[in-house]
Each structure stands twice: as C-alpha cells, then as structure tokens.
Amino acid sequence: MNLPIPFNRPSPQGNELTYLSEALQRGHISGDGFFSKECHRLIEEVLGVHKALLTTSCTHALEMSALLLDIQPGDEVILPSYTFVSTVNAFVLRGAKPIFIDIRSDTLNFDETELERLISSKTRAIVLVHYAGVACEMDTIMQIAKTYQIPIVEDNAHGLFGAYKGRYLGTFGQLATQSFHETKNFTCGEGGMLLINNPQLVERAKIIREKGTNRDRFFRGQVDKYTWVDLGSSYLPSDMLAGYLLAQLEIRDKIQSKRAQIWQNYFVGLEDWANRHGIQLPVIPEHCTQAYHMFYLLFPSFDKRQSTILHLKSQNILSVFHYMPLHLSEMANQWNYRAGDFPVTERVSNTIVRLPFYNEITETEQQRVIDALLSFQQKS
C-alpha cells in the first residue's frame, strides 16, 4: 500500500524555528512585538497598502471590517453564496442581511454582471472573494462601487501576492482581509491580517483590535493612561506566531515558485484527459496573476465527483470538496432563499474536487495523483 498523500501538509520553509526561539529570547510573546511589527512592515512595503495589522484569523479581520464600516441591523451586504461561512458571519453578527450573488462559471468568482441590480438604498458594503487567488473583475466592480459610493471589502484569504492587471489583490477595497491558516500558501497555523487602504480607518482599527481601548495611543505616549473608548475585542496574535509567519513571508518568492510548478504539473498532466471527459480545469484570465492557492476539477455531475473522491481515497489520496452554498444553509432559511436561486453556485458546489496541494508535495506524489485520475477514468 502506498503511503498516504494528504490534502494539505504544513511545513517550515525557512527560519520558522529560529524565529520562534528568538521570540522566546526577546521576552515578548504576546501581540505586537518585534515579529508582528516586521510582518506589518513587510506587507505594507510589498503591497503598498496604507496599514497592515495582524489578527488571530481572517475571520476576525472580517469582523473588524464590519465594525469599521459601522454595519447596523437592517443594513444589506452583497457577497457570494459560494464562500466560507466567515465571510458572511462577520456581517450578520452586526445585524446585516446578506444579499447573495452568484458566481461566474469560468473563474468561480463574484459575478460582476449581477451586481448593480442587487444594490438598494440599504446596501452598505460589497464583499468579494478572489476565489483560488484569481482576481475578480475589479474594473467593473470598482466603477459600480464608486457610482453608488459603497465601500468594498476584499476577502483575499486565497490571494496574497495575486494581482489584477499588475495591481496586487488586497489593495482595491477600503479594507481587505488575509488568512494564514495552515491550508494557505503562507501560514502560522492560525492567523490573519487586516489591510487598510483608507487612512481614515486606521486609528479606529487599532482601537477595535485592542479590545476597544486606546492602548496603542498609550504605548505611543499620546495619552497618559488608556481606557475603553469603542467596541472591540482581542484580535492580536502571539508574537511567536508572527515570527513563524515572517519566516515564510521572507521567502515568498521561493514558496510561490514551488506552488506555481505544482499547479503547472497538474494542469499539464490533466489537460488532455479533462478535455476528453468534459471536466473543467481552472480558468486564469490573461490579465490576472494568480496566487497558486489551489488546483481544482469541475466534474460533469455530482455522481462522477463522488466516485472520483472515493477512488482517490482507495489509493490513499485525500481529495476534498468545499463550500456548501450559503443560501441553502439552515441559517439562511430566515431570508427565504431557495434552491435554484444561484445555479452556478449550486452546480459548482456539487461537482468540484480539490486535489492535494502543499508546498512540500513531491513530483512523485503528484504523479501518483495524476495517474490515479487517468487510470480511473479509463476504466469508468
């Protein structure tokens, strides 16, 4: 029996263990220590964002976004049904009504052609997801947002260092969020980041991130004591986690080069087979620079998807599907969405398979995955 090939396997890539030890030696392992500040500086310089703030998760960065935009009960927020639950939860927690939108059949991104008709007098935010680290059609979305003066939040959990027409993802919206969960290109196990492109939101973001206090101003010597001044929570990750993350961000080009090769190996190895069997491979528009976050297949039917997952499992290979449509969830019953409301979302949810994809997957392991797919389809 072949050794298992997991869907994901996080691994150190550079100075992670050295920096963890150094964080201990520095004697500051809570939030906003040396390594946190270095992560902030690196991301701000590379992306060109006004301010970057590490958070304990992308979920918490999204919750901060909802607070910063002052989302209130009854407000409406437009976002895809095909996304992780954190994207919507952050805004529903503030009392917002989610106005779901379907996705495109090529990139599986937010369908910008549906956006304008969903805007109402109650719309307070447009939240988009750069699925698989491939950019949404930002020219159209930005123009509509500007016309109606609605802020954009980019859920860029998949897309760090991806770009749209040469401009980094995470730099378009007033706010953007990143994930450093262990399944992402760059990880510290659990972690996230809020990117702030509107300078007017920075000071309040620091307050919200520090439990609603002006503690940051106290440490900067701007006040002689700090107190509770706003809503907030504890959103700072340990500086040890920041050290682990910094080590990966420092060798981002090496990591992205590895992942680009993994993605290309899958594409080249499966393209002919996929075309013969009516299976859709990822679509990357020419004007998009993808982040090489994942490689997925879209099968012609639910049954073919399920049988393929089971076959790979029999070969000791773990593949997964993801994202049950949010509009069909139990939680969404209160807003009266129905099956058939978002046909592309529903089809993709029923037919997608994500293949094993992690920084240290070997060519031999990849070839096992490819061979297992090719041989199974030849038999079926």
Side-chain angles (χ1 to χ4, degrees), residues 248-265:
Q248 299 213 330
L249 294 175
E250 286 178 339
I251 56 169
R252 59 194 175 278
D253 292 342
K254 176 184 174 183
I255 290 174
Q256 290 300 82
S257 178
K258 281 185 180 181
R259 297 183 72 92
Q261 187 59 58
I262 294 165
W263 193 94
Q264 193 64 24
N265 288 347

Side-chain angles (χ1 to χ4, degrees), residues 295-326:
F295 196 93
Y296 62 83
L297 308 169
L298 289 175
F299 284 82
S301 69
F302 173 81
D303 289 342
K304 287 185 180 293
R305 191 272 296 277
Q306 294 299 93
S307 63
T308 301
I309 290 175
L310 289 174
H311 171 70
L312 291 175
K313 186 177 180 181
S314 75
Q315 303 298 305
N316 235 0
I317 299 168
L318 180 61
S319 60
V320 302
F321 58 88
H322 70 168
Y323 298 166
M324 302 303 292
L326 291 176

